Amino acid sequence: MRRGVRCIRHFLPAIQRQEYNHSFSFSRSQRNWLYANCVSAYGHGVDGRVLCPEFFISRALSADVAKVSPSDVTRGGPLVEYERRIAAGELVDGDSCQVGTLRELQRLYDEIVESADACRLDRYSTSDKSGRRRWLWSRLIPQSSYSPVKGLYLYGGVGTGKTMLMDLFYEQLPNNWRKRRVHFHDFMLNVHSRLQRHKGVSDPLEVVAAEISDEAILLCLDEFMVTDVADALILNRLFGHLFCNGVILVSTSNRAPSNLYEGGLQRDLFLPFIATLKERCVVHEIGSSVDYRKLTSAEQGFYFVGKDSSNILEQKFQQLIGEQTAVMQQVEVVMGRTLRVPLGANGCAYFHFEELCDKPLGAADYFGLFNKFHTLALDCVPIFGLHNRTAAYRFVTLVDVMYENHARLLCSAEASPVELFEKIVTISDARQMAPRTSTRSMRKDESNLCVDNELGFAKDRTISRLTEMNSKEYLEQHAAMLAIN
């Protein structure tokens, strides 16, 4: 029996890798950018639009500066996969700044492969102790096992390919390894849910960290962004336990580590986490200034601006639900909570902006919503400023969750995506604007100006994603996804 199990364990990783390669899918931003270059080779889909069934087409990296040496080809990893796709014609010219990041990921890949046994990555050779049992055992015999391999923290501007490059790295690693790729919002929701489950334990964070590290030694977190004080206060201790358990962190962010949670409440308690992050991860900046999400088609899609935009939104919503009748529904979210959906039918939900972003809702509610609905019609999105800063934060989170879940957005708004956030500025932006004088108000010195560093940085990502989500390419991919499901 044991010999049979060992035999299965020997062949299972290869089988899983084959299955994983067949199901491989690249990030939305890089698919959208290349869509126009490949659609002519494929058939037509919904409404006569061209559909591309190959979701694994990746965003371009510069062929002339990204030559892979013969020594690279002899091993595996993201650089080799990149070269294969260049040869297969799946990549075209693009951003040379991403090549340096690929080499960092290749270095990490090589180190992890060489230290796979020491890092305890093989899920079939690890202990079957639960997180709680491991925690109880650690009470008797305290131990620390930092990974011999440092992780990687990638940061850069919006739309520069951070997610695509991290996914390229992640997909090359064997499926029998303890690895996990998740959006940071989703990760923290899971952490808080686990903490609730272990209420009453003397150190529930240690138990949660033990559970997470039992499931995944390699942890890939996308869109690392700290805005919630509750998250900020537990991150240092949580990741202190995770790193002690041997976890290797790979993450992407728009912010450098030193700029995380800048200006946040009780930030002095968060600063030790930044030091821990720098100690356990190599920090690498992607220096590209190109936002590839904005290289999609300039079609308006379902983003409506104007005095009749609400009526148009209602008409489009009715067209999408077809002959079904939209009714009020309830959606389950974490920890037994529910979210009221005013109107829902045929996978489409209809909300007024105030019902979704002016109420005390968060990422957990939005994830629950898009677990059931693939399309959101959002009416009356306002221009953001000092008077509705909290709603702006929720809207940013809503767009992040929609983007992560490949959801479709229909919305009516007071202005274009850029204009919605014009009054949201960072401290640096505010210093460059003309101050109010004693004799008159300068034109740019508006009373509703909102100076907020976190929101000021996050707005660029939201504008970028709104632009992509309303492009022809994104909507065609959404239609193709629905056809598959």
Side-chain angles (χ1 to χ4, degrees), residues 378-399:
L378 188 63
D379 195 13
C380 296
V381 179
I383 292 174
F384 298 111
L386 187 61
H387 70 291
N388 59 359
R389 172 168 54 183
T390 303
Y393 266 109
R394 292 197 186 102
F395 183 67
V396 166
T397 301
L398 173 66
V399 172

Side-chain angles (χ1 to χ4, degrees), residues 60 70 137 295 409:
W137 184 254
L295 296 183
L409 174 67

